[in-house]
Amino acid sequence: MTIEAWRITGQSQIDSYVGRWAELGVLLVNELHVTRARGRPVTPPENRRAALEEALRSHDWTPGRPLTDADADRLAGVAAELHPAFAGDITALNQALVRHGAVPSLYGDPPRLAFHSAEASLPDAWAADAATALAMVIGVGQGERLRSCEADGCELVFFDVTKNTSRRFCGLSCQNRAKASAYRARRRA
């Protein structure tokens, strides 16, 4: 993990491996775990596998093999395990690391780095790699980059990559709702 560019630009640099797996953790939590998003209740998808495949496709993720319904169900559990990390709960994150066997490993030709064994199931592999990435972000003092949306009625999480960690909302819709609400409150006062 590289986080060292402070003296040059003031922007922290999180390498692509860690950033990519942290983004997968965000995707899993947002697709499979939140109950409120952008001010509205979210109903769990009837077909978790199809919903997850669509979300992965839209974020350019390609699983090494087709997802099964059982994989999608287990990944929903993984999402629940990873969610507390975005509120700073390192105990839950440590438990997820142990539960999914997160250990550095090289395999393949050419060798590639992973934080799961070559024999790990897809949900365990993704859980170990995503949990390790979140732990690395927290472990190098950048835990404030793992955030939950501050808008009322939104539980979405995000990985803040802004220069000064100033991002407060998951997206423009929540930011606009919060600004409009603050404006109406000022007008009433």
Side-chain angles (χ1 to χ4, degrees):
M1 172 182 247
T2 306
I3 297 188
E4 195 174 289
W6 292 102
R7 58 184 147 37
I8 298 170
T9 64
Q11 174 71 40
S12 66
Q13 299 293 315
I14 306 229
D15 73 19
S16 60
Y17 182 88
V18 171
R20 188 82 169 131
W21 284 104
E23 288 171 5
L24 179 70
V26 167
L27 185 142
L28 291 174
V29 170
N30 288 343
E31 289 297 321
L32 300 173
H33 185 66
V34 298
T35 59
R36 294 192 56 79
R38 297 176 186 92
R40 295 188 175 104
V42 174
T43 56
E46 287 184 29
N47 186 339
R48 281 186 181 152
R49 182 185 48 78
L52 188 54
E53 284 173 342
E54 177 59 31
L56 292 169
R57 217 176 357 267
S58 72
H59 288 86
D60 296 325
W61 272 93
T62 52
R65 61 176 175 79
L67 289 174
T68 64
D69 289 336
D71 290 340
D73 291 341
R74 288 203 50 219
L75 287 169
V78 168
E81 289 177 303
L82 296 179
H83 190 246
F86 291 90
D89 185 349
I90 60 170
T91 302
L93 187 57
N94 282 333
Q95 291 170 348
L97 289 165
V98 171
R99 186 180 305 84
H100 297 287
V103 294
S105 176
L106 291 170
Y107 62 89
D109 187 26
R112 72 178 191 97
L113 176 64
F115 288 90
H116 61 274
S117 70
E119 301 80 36
S121 67
L122 184 126
D124 283 332
W126 282 13
D129 286 348
T132 299
L134 297 178
M136 290 172 86
V137 169
I138 293 168
V140 296
Q142 297 293 310
E144 68 273 6
R145 293 188 178 280
L146 304 175
R147 311 275 304 266
S148 293
C149 184
E150 292 181 18
D152 289 336
C154 187
E155 299 172 355
L156 294 175
V157 299
F158 57 91
F159 181 43
D160 183 359
V161 293
T162 61
K163 182 176 180 176
N164 59 359
T165 63
S166 60
R167 186 171 164 193
R168 297 176 43 215
F169 304 103
C170 64
L172 285 176
S173 62
C174 280
Q175 181 178 346
N176 290 340
R177 279 188 315 103
K179 285 183 176 182
S181 177
Y183 173 77
R184 286 190 297 272
R186 284 192 307 272
R187 296 279 295 186
R188 282 192 297 267

